[in-house]
Amino acid sequence: MPHILIATDIFGYTKATEAFKYRLEFICEAVHIIDPYDAKQTDFQNEDEAYEAFNRLCGLENYAKMCMKALDAHANETLILIGFSMGASAFWNVLAGRKSANVKSFFGFYSSQIRHFLDAKPRVPCTLIFPTLEKHFDVDDVITELAKQENITCVKTEYLHGFMNPSSIHYNAKGYAEYCEWIEEKIKAV
């Protein structure tokens, strides 16, 4: 059975992250959470506050280093990686050009920063789940570019960035339920 590494979004380790972790523990050996605030539960009031804290306390480059450290710590285990927003971007950067025999799949939800790293060449199977639109870039253009690469599958949802996070203004309970079931099926198939 695989171990799962989850890299959170800018909200970090929350009760919702914990609930998602417990849900996945029923179908895998262990679930480990990586978050930009060293497992300190946060209580941000909104995305702006969380984004400011993320940039001040961590940043994408440091978050990628945290993800790399976690990958190295679990190098002897079969892994499935799941990232949300900045967590997905951090994993994407770590996987660029890296062939990890123990990483069986990466699932990245609404990684808006990926648009800056389209030339990354992950050598593990990647499924990238995009929102229906993004404020700062054309989702379809990014999907078209990424689809040219081997090992990459892109899924465009009908939901908005943050639909899996109850702390986000774009949280969508239907989308959350749908993609929890979807990710569970994908994990079972690995």
Side-chain angles (χ1 to χ4, degrees):
M1 286 181 106
H3 286 238
I4 295 175
L5 297 181
I6 298 172
T8 72
D9 63 13
I10 58 175
F11 284 91
Y13 192 90
T14 63
K15 289 181 176 152
T17 307
E18 197 168 90
F20 184 70
K21 172 188 174 191
Y22 290 138
R23 182 177 183 143
L24 296 180
E25 285 179 334
F26 288 102
I27 59 172
C28 66
E29 190 167 324
V31 179
H32 311 277
I33 296 175
I34 308 160
D35 80 280
Y37 313 109
D38 293 324
K40 294 180 184 101
Q41 282 209 357
T42 58
D43 189 26
F44 299 119
Q45 300 304 306
N46 55 50
E47 263 100 349
D48 291 338
E49 187 179 323
Y51 189 72
E52 187 278 323
F54 176 81
N55 286 325
R56 182 173 38 86
L57 299 171
C58 187
L60 181 57
E61 187 176 325
N62 286 332
Y63 201 14
K65 288 177 185 173
M66 293 168 75
C67 289
M68 176 68 84
K69 187 176 177 182
L71 277 174
D72 291 343
H74 296 280
N76 296 323
E77 299 157 358
T78 300
L79 296 174
I80 294 173
L81 310 179
I82 302 171
F84 295 94
S85 193
M86 282 294 187
S89 298
F91 270 144
W92 178 260
N93 288 352
V94 168
L95 292 173
R98 177 182 173 136
K99 180 148 177 73
S100 300
N102 68 318
V103 176
K104 297 304 176 193
S105 280
F106 164 55
F107 299 95
F109 285 82
Y110 40 83
S111 167
S112 60
Q113 295 301 310
I114 204 169
R115 73 189 189 274
H116 300 299
F117 306 101
L118 295 176
D119 57 346
K121 303 280 188 238
R123 296 169 59 198
V124 300
C126 298
T127 303
L128 303 172
I129 300 91
F130 287 92
T132 190
L133 61 92
E134 285 279 7
K135 186 161 74 171
H136 300 292
F137 66 95
D138 187 308
V139 171
D140 293 327
D141 288 349
V142 170
I143 289 173
T144 299
E145 195 61 33
L146 289 168
K148 296 175 185 175
Q149 294 189 43
E150 286 184 49
N151 296 321
I152 297 177
T153 302
C154 295
V155 176
K156 185 176 177 184
T157 71
E158 63 184 272
Y159 308 109
L160 297 173
H161 187 114
F163 75 89
M164 293 288 287
N165 184 347
S167 297
S168 171
I169 59 170
H170 297 301
Y171 172 68
N172 185 293
K174 178 180 175 261
Y176 177 81
E178 178 185 335
Y179 276 88
C180 279
E181 289 177 20
W182 179 87
I183 198 77
E184 289 169 359
E185 290 305 312
K186 295 292 184 182
I187 291 167
K188 289 175 189 174
V190 171

